[in-house]
Amino acid sequence: MNNQYIRLLLAVVLCVVTSCSTTRQLPVRETEGKDKREFRGAWIQTAFQGEYKDMTPAQLRKDFVRKLNYLQSCGINAIIFQVRPEADAFYKSDIEPWSRFYTGQQGVAPAGNFDVMEFLIEECHKRNMEFHAWLNPYRASTAGNTRFADSHIYNKHPEWFVTYNKQILFDPGLPESRQFINKVVRDIVSRYDVDAIHMDDYFYPYPAAGMPFPDDDSFRKYGLNKGYTNAQRSDWRRENVNTLIRELKRTILLTKPWVRFGISPFGIYRNKKSTSDGSGSDTNGLQNYDDLYADILHWVKEGWIDYNMPQIYWEIDHPAADYITLIQWWNKNATLEGPHLYIGQDVARTMKASQLTRKMRYERALSKVKGNCFWPANELLWNNKGVADSLKRNYHRYPALIPAYTHMHNRAPQEVKKLKKEWTADGYMLHWKAEQSPTNPELASYFVVYRFEDKEPIDLSNPAKIVKITRNTRYLMPYDNGKKKYRYIVTAVDRFHNENTGKSIKVKL
């Protein structure tokens, strides 16, 4: 067979596999590992994970270093770590007790008060990975069987809580609940060098059939008094969550304005059949707006969140919630200049259906989608059906910078200064100087080192030319025999991921 015939045959087979639909065919743009700007996150869950409570601090350090190294090798550039699963803490807090998922018993401190979050932030930043602190806002007990520590807020203010479907939850209708959650977020942001505060899909709880949410008392006090009728209780609940999100964004801005606020909502905003104008997605399933009272699109429009990461965990061609239908719907309802749109990917379901290639290509072909987050990180660590291998070889073959949050700040930092090359005891070193400060997000936070052949055109948009992304102000160059010329360019990037044009230097290696 000649090559032209083989290509034609492969195209026919591909067309059959993808049903040859004009709206569902694989995009023609080559996407494997070519995008320089892409969010590549992974969720590390702590709720219901029994592995941590039996580990010593030394074992925890070793285990997390192993995990971060492996995830970094898979191209992951952001870790979303669950630090507050039940109004408790995987960090040292004077507001909430140590988590039972961390030490085995709520309120019992780990040996030496070992602060997992502090350790992970430091280790992530060493690797130039972001650390997003993941909080569950309302949940205090996942199944109603949590033994609350004496210091838990439930013991001090049980009137702030309701029990629903065996869960103990902050009542979202109470201003006191919102004030306390804001206090927790302010504490984390002020004391830790987090890159973002992250919340997932748990706002009002997932509804249980035939079981109304028990907020009659708070509705009488704060709903009816504000003019809401019983028929408008859903609107009142949405406004409660709207108020929390707005206040959290303000709290973060007033504490550290460079820290982002991100939400990973359930994958369906509204079904088309639930909307009078047909604006919902052509799906059938639980809805953020109607069932969880989370008006995601309103938060995006108002700029109360900095990224939106819908959990589109279904397969392509799923009968109730088709992946392609949903990713196109979220892309259509996103903005180019405002909050970023990332896609939450279920690794196990994706790999079981052998759909990684199609999903990645669809995601990268859409104009407003700026990356993915993989659920859970363990599936990557286990290399489920070769997912980690595929990311390394194809989709994350080259490193990627996180897309710049230009809606927060849109000016590149100053260029590096005194870019020099010199022999050191460690080898042939490239080094430079830059003004940096942990309290000034507009200064250089990290640096990108590019290498080009001597006569090669300079193209900083090509990630294949990136040889290092580092927070250090030096780079050890690979020396061969000193006969070949290269041009190195070093750029500076700020906390918002704005990158300047860089300084260049010629080197013989």
Side-chain angles (χ1 to χ4, degrees):
M1 288 187 190
N2 60 44
N3 290 337
Q4 184 176 0
Y5 180 78
I6 292 173
R7 285 196 296 270
L8 178 61
L9 181 61
L10 287 173
V12 171
V13 171
L14 182 61
C15 186
V16 171
V17 169
T18 58
S19 304
C20 285
S21 167
T22 56
T23 60
R24 301 174 65 81
Q25 63 186 350
L26 288 177
V28 296
R29 184 166 68 95
E30 179 59 58
T31 58
E32 274 95 15
K34 297 296 178 64
D35 290 354
K36 172 184 161 179
R37 292 275 188 175
E38 188 172 54
F39 185 92
R40 300 171 179 175
W43 278 286
I44 296 182
Q45 175 189 10
T46 59
F48 312 113
Q49 298 293 103
E51 58 186 305
Y52 306 118
K53 62 183 178 64
D54 296 323
M55 290 186 181
T56 65
Q59 290 170 328
L60 282 166
R61 289 186 182 94
K62 182 178 180 181
D63 187 59
F64 279 122
V65 164
R66 174 188 66 83
K67 288 177 177 176
L68 293 180
N69 286 342
Y70 190 85
L71 291 170
Q72 183 184 33
S73 75
C74 296
I76 298 301
N77 56 22
I79 296 298
I80 299 179
F81 185 79
Q82 192 174 25
V83 303
R84 183 184 185 258
E86 290 185 323
D88 52 9
F90 267 73
Y91 60 96
K92 187 168 174 40
S93 170
D94 293 330
I95 301 173
E96 296 185 306
W98 292 102
S99 175
R100 68 184 174 103
F101 297 116
Y102 181 19
T103 64
Q105 182 179 339
Q106 191 177 90
V108 172
N113 281 332
F114 175 58
D115 191 325
V116 168
M117 182 161 76
E118 182 179 52
F119 174 77
L120 283 174
I121 290 170
E122 182 180 350
E123 290 297 320
C124 282
H125 288 172
K126 278 182 187 177
R127 296 161 177 78
N128 205 54
M129 301 165 82
E130 286 201 333
F131 181 92
H132 295 213
W134 167 17
L135 292 75
N136 294 94
Y138 296 126
R139 188 170 68 199
S141 176
T142 54
N145 59 355
T146 305
R147 281 190 171 186
F148 291 125
D150 291 343
S151 60
H152 196 281
I153 191 64
Y154 179 84
N155 291 321
K156 186 175 181 180
H157 289 287
E159 72 277 9
W160 292 357
F161 296 85
V162 294
T163 300
Y164 180 76
N165 197 21
K166 299 182 180 180
Q167 300 177 79
I168 299 176
L169 309 157
F170 284 90
D171 185 343
L174 297 178
E176 295 88 347
S177 296
R178 295 191 292 271
Q179 291 165 7
F180 184 81
I181 295 165
N182 272 280
K183 181 180 179 181
V184 170
V185 168
R186 186 183 302 109
D187 177 60
I188 291 174
V189 174
S190 64
R191 293 194 298 118
Y192 292 89
D193 191 19
V194 297
D195 296 288
I197 293 293
H198 177 91
M199 292 179 179
D200 55 9
D201 51 326
Y202 293 102
F203 292 99
Y204 275 81
Y206 280 54
M211 190 180 294
F213 187 74
D215 58 0
D216 288 345
D217 290 345
S218 56
F219 180 65
R220 276 192 297 269
K221 187 173 182 179
Y222 296 104
L224 293 175
N225 287 347
K226 289 185 178 180
Y228 288 94
T229 66
N230 272 307
Q232 296 172 317
R233 191 178 298 208
S234 293
D235 295 328
W236 174 73
R237 288 173 177 170
R238 270 186 291 275
E239 187 53 32
N240 290 333
V241 185
N242 287 345
T243 302
L244 174 69
I245 299 301
R246 182 177 66 247
E247 290 177 351
L248 285 170
K249 178 59 179 174
R250 184 174 183 272
T251 293
I252 295 168
L253 276 173
L254 291 176
T255 309
K256 285 180 184 171
W258 61 90
V259 173
R260 276 149 279 133
F261 184 26
I263 304 286
S264 59
F266 184 74
I268 298 173
Y269 176 67
R270 299 192 82 186
N271 299 310
K272 183 181 290 186
K273 66 183 181 183
S274 299
T275 60
S276 58
D277 58 359
S279 60
S281 54
D282 191 10
T283 51
N284 292 287
L286 188 85
Q287 304 166 100
N288 280 288
Y289 185 89
D290 302 86
D291 300 315
L292 306 178
Y293 307 102
D295 193 353
I296 314 297
L297 293 192
H298 184 60
W299 308 342
V300 169
K301 179 182 177 182
E302 295 296 328
W304 295 342
I305 60 176
D306 300 302
Y307 67 79
N308 175 28
M309 188 186 289
Q311 300 170 23
I312 309 182
Y313 285 175
W314 301 275
E315 301 86 352
I316 298 171
D317 295 325
H318 189 283
D322 169 52
Y323 175 89
I324 302 301
T325 298
L326 282 165
I327 195 173
Q328 289 178 341
W329 188 92
W330 285 104
N331 182 73
K332 178 183 176 182
N333 288 279
T335 64
L336 274 174
E337 303 301 327
H340 292 184
L341 174 62
Y342 309 137
I343 303 300
Q345 304 280 3
D346 185 303
V347 176
R349 293 181 71 162
T350 294
M351 299 312 294
K352 183 178 179 180
S354 302
Q355 294 182 347
L356 181 65
T357 294
R358 294 174 70 191
K359 285 187 173 183
M360 293 296 285
R361 289 188 174 183
Y362 270 110
E363 172 264 315
R364 285 178 168 172
L366 295 174
S367 60
K368 298 170 189 173
V369 179
K370 298 183 179 181
N372 298 282
C373 193
F374 297 93
W375 166 260
N378 274 345
E379 296 288 345
L380 301 183
L381 295 166
W382 298 330
N383 195 20
N384 186 342
K385 292 201 171 184
V387 61
D389 296 334
S390 291
L391 293 178
K392 292 175 186 178
R393 288 196 302 261
N394 300 311
Y395 315 108
H396 297 172
R397 179 182 175 188
Y398 302 115
L401 276 65
I402 288 175
Y405 289 85
T406 54
H407 68 280
M408 300 176 73
H409 177 68
N410 194 16
R411 187 172 65 248
Q414 293 181 350
E415 292 182 342
V416 302
K417 299 174 182 178
K418 298 182 180 180
L419 179 61
K420 295 181 180 180
K421 55 194 177 183
E422 68 175 358
W423 283 99
T424 70
D426 297 320
Y428 203 13
M429 194 74 70
L430 196 64
H431 59 86
W432 57 90
K433 294 188 179 298
E435 187 179 0
Q436 295 179 275
S437 169
T439 60
N440 188 343
E442 298 181 21
L443 298 178
S445 175
Y446 63 94
F447 308 94
V448 187
V449 182
Y450 301 82
R451 189 176 84 165
F452 297 89
E453 303 276 344
D454 184 35
K455 304 296 183 182
E456 184 180 7
I458 303 300
D459 178 12
L460 297 187
S461 68
N462 184 357
K465 298 302 175 182
I466 297 175
V467 293
K468 189 71 174 178
I469 301 175
T470 179
R471 300 201 175 199
N472 297 321
T473 54
R474 62 190 183 279
Y475 169 68
L476 181 63
M477 296 179 287
Y479 184 79
D480 190 5
N481 55 18
K483 294 182 179 180
K484 192 166 184 178
K485 291 182 180 179
Y486 293 96
R487 180 182 294 275
Y488 279 85
I489 295 179
V490 178
T491 65
V493 188
D494 65 17
R495 287 297 292 258
F496 304 96
H497 301 285
N498 297 296
E499 182 185 26
N500 61 32
T501 55
K503 285 281 185 71
S504 68
I505 189 171
K506 287 189 176 182
V507 181
K508 278 188 177 182
L509 296 174

